[in-house]
Amino acid sequence: MDKMTVAEAEALFREIDADGNGEIRLSELRDYGKDHGGTVGGVKLADFVRGADTDGNRRISRTEFTSHFA
Ligand SMILES: [Ca+2]
Ligand SMILES: [Ca+2]
């Protein structure tokens, strides 16, 4: 998969972070995935969480998200 720019990654983050609290919960990911074939930025949800949640707290912070994609 091609890398995104930081701006693209941040735009996607805001799209998924439905309540706008600055971190993505698994429920927000699932809601997003429902409309996008179970993927985030072309990556399967489960693989995305495993790869992006570097501190293992089951939430994706903005930093984790952008450093995963950009
Ligand atoms: Ca959120
Ligand atoms: Ca995390």
Side-chain angles (χ1 to χ4, degrees), residues 5-51:
T5 66
V6 172
E8 285 168 343
E10 285 186 346
L12 182 60
F13 183 93
R14 282 193 297 271
E15 198 179 325
I16 301 170
D17 182 17
D19 65 5
N21 73 341
E23 64 178 17
I24 294 173
R25 281 175 292 128
L26 293 183
S27 61
E28 288 174 327
L29 272 177
R30 274 196 294 268
D31 286 347
Y32 180 86
K34 259 183 237 157
D35 297 333
H36 296 82
T39 64
V40 175
V43 181
K44 271 201 198 151
L45 275 185
D47 293 340
F48 167 76
V49 173
R50 211 172 297 131

Side-chain angles (χ1 to χ4, degrees), residues 53 55 57 59 64:
D53 183 20
D55 66 4
N57 69 349
R59 291 153 194 249
E64 286 174 335

